[in-house]
Amino acid sequence: MKRVFLKDIAKKLDVSIATVSLALNGNIKLGRISDELIAKIKQTALEMDYQPNVIARSLRSGKSNIIGLIVADISNPFFGTLAFFVQEYAAQKGYSVIIGNSNEQTSKLQNSIKSLKSQPVDGLIIVPTENCEEFLAPYINKKFPIVLVDRYLPSLEVSHVVIDNQDAAYKATRILIDKGCTRVALLIYKNNQTHMIERKEGYRKALTEAGCFNPNLIKEINYLDIKNDVSLAIRELISSPSSIDGIFFASNSLSTHGFSALYKRNKSFSSDFCISCFDKHDALDILPLNIPYVHQPIEEIGRQSVDLILNLIEGHNDIKKIKLSSKIVID
Amino acid sequence: MKRVFLKDIAKKLDVSIATVSLALNGNIKLGRISDELIAKIKQTALEMDYQPNVIARSLRSGKSNIIGLIVADISNPFFGTLAFFVQEYAAQKGYSVIIGNSNEQTSKLQNSIKSLKSQPVDGLIIVPTENCEEFLAPYINKKFPIVLVDRYLPSLEVSHVVIDNQDAAYKATRILIDKGCTRVALLIYKNNQTHMIERKEGYRKALTEAGCFNPNLIKEINYLDIKNDVSLAIRELISSPSSIDGIFFASNSLSTHGFSALYKRNKSFSSDFCISCFDKHDALDILPLNIPYVHQPIEEIGRQSVDLILNLIEGHNDIKKIKLSSKIVID
DNA sequence: ATTTGTTGCTAAAACGATTAAGTTATATCT
DNA sequence: AGATATAACTTAATCGTTTTAGCAACAAAT
């Protein structure tokens, strides 16, 4: 019951290895094999349960049929779900996926890329970290296939798949305004990445239009000290003389800690206080408020990322920048 | 700036390819190279930024240095976290990880295994699905390296890493009894897998000891129709004449839907009603109850799984069955 | 009758690494 | 001095595919 190779099929049918290979891969232009022989070879391959040796094929072709996916944190359900769909869709296209983590740190992103490149992957779908441009630029310049996802890097000409974050944040803020809120706070990560900048801008735009933008209500949270920072921010916001009447949490991890901090400070989740947030969250079903959230089309993001990276891998060098729209959902 | 191979280093230093390979891999027993030359070759390799071609190496050695991890659902934070640690620890040992999903279905597990095996992986860490024994047995018999995780298959002699589910469930039920609950319900998946059987047994044991075991309070949920089933179960439990005073949710997905169903049925989350559950959950911080939960040592599970699979890959054929303990946490 | 074309197949190189089995040249031993 | 050992390196085979180039046989065209 040992593994079957082309050699074994060739021996059995008393033909050459090349003939078997050509018959199975059916590139009619090159060598030509008679229809009968092709049929016989295919039949025998089936009977003997021939499985091509992917590694030998890779060595010959210079392609591994593996793509790398580097996310910020695979234990975060948003990235977990993205990984799920990327994996599903890539499998359909005959590719495997190796996942790496950056933990939002450029140094760890660097390690992941190096380790994946040496594996080696044919291309990378990357959730870029803050200030990773300098490190990524050489790969881009060398035309190594890279697609950014979730965020992009304005200074680099790279394909990416993102959502319209400004629009999403605008809608999420607007829904609070429409409910009558005038003092709406924003909890957002303190960083210079596109998704955060755009979410902040959407928030600002909605409130400015409504004539009640107040920059003091923006609380910027440090990713590495999220629990503490969110807790402090919530305390400040709640204990301020003219208290807030709404909060927009600009990411799922911020709302996780935000909800917890609000609860611990005994802030009554009553209807005179409105919340909106990014991404579906387990607590949304529990809280005695109908909390609207931005629903990102994760499956679509995954599918498009795979499409783009496969496009690059196949040698089409056109850069595509895809911006998907999202909608507000109220369960 | 094209890729550097052994050939290039050899040409530059006017030595043979074999010499370069031997110098870099330093297998002193085989060919011997003078210390000076070794130093010079290593230096040059560094300068030229030589990266070994993993595929060529794999073809020669018959090893890919990739392990496959097949989980039930990578978008579930428990498995996401497990994947995170498996990946981290495997990377430390020089292995990459390819992740597959089974969605708790044996047919999808089958697809994942086939696709990963053809990639090919050196070994597989698998979260087994219900009734997958028949499909898995041939691989086990052929000594293909497999480690089961989270659950095991009593009928197959395979290495595994699980937690002591009976003990965990016993403790989680016991804590409710100690709070004074006498009518404690169990929400659990309807299947014949070890982790569920053992959790049910732990629950039964605790309540029997306390003299208040009532099989009617066990609600078995269908994984594929979880939302509906949980909702129905909660309704039955709450509206029964002699209502329950506690629930133990035997998995994180069950508690997610359970909390939601309880909330929607306006069940007051008051202190005369106690809950315990499996795994940390975002809603735990929010609910106005101190809900104890079973904290699984996910990092340890990941590390041990990797250790076992690498052991098998390296040819040590001993089967190890590891049962880790978990603790109850009250935040 | 020679050229040209077509069909059906095979030989052999290539992908880039590892490694068993030499081959020198020098050192050591009797 | 001659035999033997050892140090330092190289040659060439190998892993399993893919694919280029070529061979032989026969057909068609000039």
Side-chain angles (χ1 to χ4, degrees):
Chain A
M1 277 299 189
K2 49 185 268 271
R3 188 153 177 181
V4 174
F5 303 113
L6 289 184
K7 187 173 39 174
D8 302 312
I9 301 179
K11 208 172 287 172
K12 181 156 204 167
L13 295 179
D14 199 31
V15 293
S16 77
I17 294 176
T19 304
V20 179
S21 174
L22 288 169
L24 292 178
N25 298 312
N27 199 333
I28 303 164
K29 299 285 165 195
L30 298 170
R32 16 182 153 230
I33 317 290
S34 68
D35 290 350
E36 310 139 73
L37 186 50
I38 289 181
K40 196 156 60 168
I41 288 174
K42 284 191 170 168
Q43 175 63 23
T44 311
L46 215 62
E47 283 166 8
M48 300 176 77
D49 189 31
Y50 167 71
Q51 301 290 115
N53 181 320
V54 175
I55 290 184
R57 191 177 268 179
S58 291
L59 179 59
R60 184 63 228 257
S61 68
K63 278 198 49 192
S64 67
N65 272 46
I66 301 179
I67 61 182
L69 169 67
I70 305 181
V71 297
D73 174 10
I74 186 69
S75 62
N76 175 322
F78 171 75
F79 293 120
T81 308
L82 179 64
F84 175 86
F85 286 118
V86 165
Q87 200 266 316
E88 288 273 305
Y89 199 62
Q92 279 177 34
K93 302 281 186 174
Y95 280 75
S96 293
V97 178
I98 295 187
I99 298 177
N101 280 278
S102 71
N103 289 70
E104 298 283 7
Q105 293 163 261
T106 297
S107 62
K108 287 217 69 184
L109 175 67
Q110 230 162 322
N111 289 341
S112 286
I113 292 182
K114 279 190 184 160
S115 121
L116 291 188
K117 275 216 60 173
S118 81
Q119 187 45 254
V121 297
D122 292 338
L124 284 168
I125 299 175
I126 298 177
V127 175
T129 55
E130 202 177 8
N131 304 321
C132 68
E133 291 88 341
E134 198 182 343
F135 173 68
L136 234 44
Y139 293 102
I140 312 290
N141 294 336
K142 280 180 207 153
K143 307 273 181 213
F144 183 76
I146 288 183
V147 169
L148 303 180
V149 67
D150 190 48
R151 319 149 193 185
Y152 62 96
L153 303 168
S155 64
L156 293 181
E157 276 298 303
V158 202
S159 291
H160 64 239
V161 181
V162 297
I163 63 158
D164 187 337
N165 280 291
Q166 182 173 331
D167 178 63
Y170 176 85
K171 287 192 239 167
T173 310
R174 188 58 206 249
I175 211 168
L176 297 178
I177 296 169
D178 289 347
K179 283 182 180 174
C181 301
T182 57
R183 296 188 51 79
V184 178
L186 170 69
L187 257 75
I188 194 161
Y189 282 120
K190 180 190 191 64
N191 77 25
N192 59 16
Q193 299 217 70
T194 54
H195 61 321
M196 289 302 152
I197 291 172
E198 289 169 7
R199 289 178 196 180
K200 201 195 288 184
E201 179 55 21
Y203 159 88
R204 197 197 55 72
K205 190 174 159 213
L207 285 169
T208 303
E209 271 180 24
C212 47
F213 174 65
N214 176 353
N216 296 325
L217 300 183
I218 298 179
K219 296 296 177 188
E220 300 198 319
I221 307 299
N222 197 321
Y223 180 83
L224 295 174
D225 200 17
I226 176 168
K227 187 163 184 173
N228 212 26
D229 268 21
V230 168
S231 176
L232 285 175
I234 294 287
R235 189 178 59 178
E236 278 182 41
L237 287 171
I238 285 180
S239 60
S240 85
S242 52
S243 186
I244 55 170
D245 54 13
I247 305 184
F248 167 41
F249 291 105
S251 96
N252 61 352
S253 38
L254 288 171
S255 49
T256 299
H257 291 90
F259 293 162
S260 166
L262 280 168
Y263 172 68
K264 280 184 180 135
R265 301 205 67 75
N266 287 315
K267 176 69 184 175
S268 66
F269 283 100
S270 55
S271 50
D272 63 328
F273 179 72
C274 297
I275 297 178
S276 65
C277 60
F278 238 86
D279 298 324
K280 170 83 174 141
H281 192 289
D282 284 341
L284 294 183
D285 288 326
I286 317 291
L287 289 175
L289 292 169
N290 265 349
I291 298 181
Y293 62 91
V294 174
H295 175 83
Q296 299 196 57
I298 308 187
E299 176 164 7
E300 187 65 16
I301 296 173
R303 184 206 312 280
Q304 297 268 11
S305 309
V306 172
D307 276 347
L308 288 195
I309 200 70
L310 294 190
N311 218 34
L312 288 176
I313 289 172
E314 279 156 16
H316 310 286
N317 275 352
D318 44 331
I319 290 167
K320 278 195 198 151
K321 301 178 177 184
I322 295 178
K323 188 184 273 188
L324 300 171
S325 61
S326 57
K327 39 181 194 195
I328 300 284
V329 173
I330 310 173
D331 274 338
Chain B
M1 277 299 187
K2 49 186 266 273
R3 186 151 179 183
V4 174
F5 304 111
L6 288 184
K7 187 172 44 174
D8 302 312
I9 302 179
K11 208 172 285 171
K12 183 157 201 167
L13 296 179
D14 200 31
V15 294
S16 77
I17 294 177
T19 304
V20 178
S21 174
L22 289 170
L24 291 178
N25 297 312
N27 198 335
I28 303 163
K29 300 285 165 196
L30 299 170
R32 16 181 153 227
I33 317 292
S34 67
D35 289 352
E36 310 140 74
L37 186 49
I38 290 182
K40 195 156 61 166
I41 288 174
K42 284 191 171 168
Q43 175 63 23
T44 311
L46 216 62
E47 282 167 8
M48 299 177 77
D49 190 30
Y50 167 71
Q51 302 290 115
N53 181 320
V54 175
I55 289 184
R57 194 177 267 178
S58 292
L59 179 59
R60 182 66 226 259
S61 67
K63 278 198 48 191
S64 67
N65 272 47
I66 301 179
I67 62 183
L69 170 67
I70 305 181
V71 297
D73 174 11
I74 185 70
S75 62
N76 175 322
F78 172 75
F79 293 119
T81 309
L82 179 63
F84 174 87
F85 286 118
V86 165
Q87 198 267 317
E88 287 273 305
Y89 200 61
Q92 279 178 35
K93 302 282 186 172
Y95 281 74
S96 293
V97 177
I98 295 187
I99 298 177
N101 280 278
S102 71
N103 289 69
E104 297 284 8
Q105 294 164 260
T106 298
S107 61
K108 288 216 68 183
L109 175 66
Q110 230 162 320
N111 289 340
S112 286
I113 293 182
K114 279 190 183 159
S115 122
L116 290 188
K117 275 217 60 174
S118 81
Q119 187 45 254
V121 297
D122 291 338
L124 283 168
I125 299 174
I126 298 178
V127 175
T129 55
E130 201 176 9
N131 304 322
C132 67
E133 290 88 342
E134 199 181 344
F135 173 69
L136 233 44
Y139 294 102
I140 312 290
N141 293 336
K142 280 181 206 149
K143 307 273 180 214
F144 183 77
I146 288 183
V147 168
L148 303 180
V149 66
D150 190 47
R151 318 151 192 183
Y152 63 97
L153 304 168
S155 64
L156 294 181
E157 276 298 303
V158 202
S159 290
H160 65 237
V161 181
V162 297
I163 64 159
D164 187 337
N165 280 291
Q166 181 174 331
D167 178 62
Y170 176 85
K171 288 191 236 166
T173 310
R174 188 57 207 250
I175 210 168
L176 297 178
I177 295 169
D178 289 347
K179 282 182 179 175
C181 301
T182 58
R183 295 188 51 80
V184 178
L186 170 68
L187 257 75
I188 194 160
Y189 282 120
K190 179 187 192 63
N191 76 25
N192 60 14
Q193 299 218 71
T194 54
H195 60 323
M196 289 302 152
I197 290 173
E198 289 169 5
R199 288 177 197 180
K200 201 195 289 184
E201 180 56 21
Y203 160 87
R204 197 197 56 72
K205 189 176 162 212
L207 285 168
T208 304
E209 271 180 23
C212 45
F213 174 64
N214 176 354
N216 297 324
L217 299 184
I218 299 179
K219 296 296 175 187
E220 300 199 318
I221 307 299
N222 197 320
Y223 180 83
L224 296 173
D225 201 17
I226 177 169
K227 188 164 182 170
N228 213 27
D229 268 20
V230 169
S231 176
L232 286 174
I234 294 287
R235 189 179 58 179
E236 278 180 42
L237 288 171
I238 286 180
S239 61
S240 85
S242 55
S243 186
I244 55 171
D245 54 12
I247 305 184
F248 167 42
F249 291 105
S251 95
N252 61 353
S253 38
L254 289 170
S255 49
T256 300
H257 291 91
F259 293 161
S260 166
L262 282 169
Y263 173 69
K264 280 184 181 135
R265 300 206 68 76
N266 286 316
K267 177 71 184 174
S268 65
F269 283 99
S270 54
S271 49
D272 62 329
F273 179 73
C274 297
I275 296 178
S276 65
C277 60
F278 239 87
D279 298 323
K280 169 84 175 139
H281 192 288
D282 283 343
L284 295 183
D285 288 326
I286 317 290
L287 289 174
L289 294 169
N290 264 349
I291 299 182
Y293 61 92
V294 175
H295 175 84
Q296 299 195 58
I298 308 187
E299 176 164 7
E300 187 64 16
I301 296 173
R303 183 207 312 280
Q304 298 268 10
S305 310
V306 172
D307 275 347
L308 287 195
I309 200 70
L310 294 191
N311 217 34
L312 288 176
I313 290 172
E314 280 156 16
H316 310 286
N317 275 352
D318 44 330
I319 290 167
K320 279 195 198 151
K321 302 180 175 182
I322 294 179
K323 187 184 273 188
L324 301 171
S325 61
S326 56
K327 38 181 194 196
I328 300 283
V329 174
I330 311 171
D331 274 337

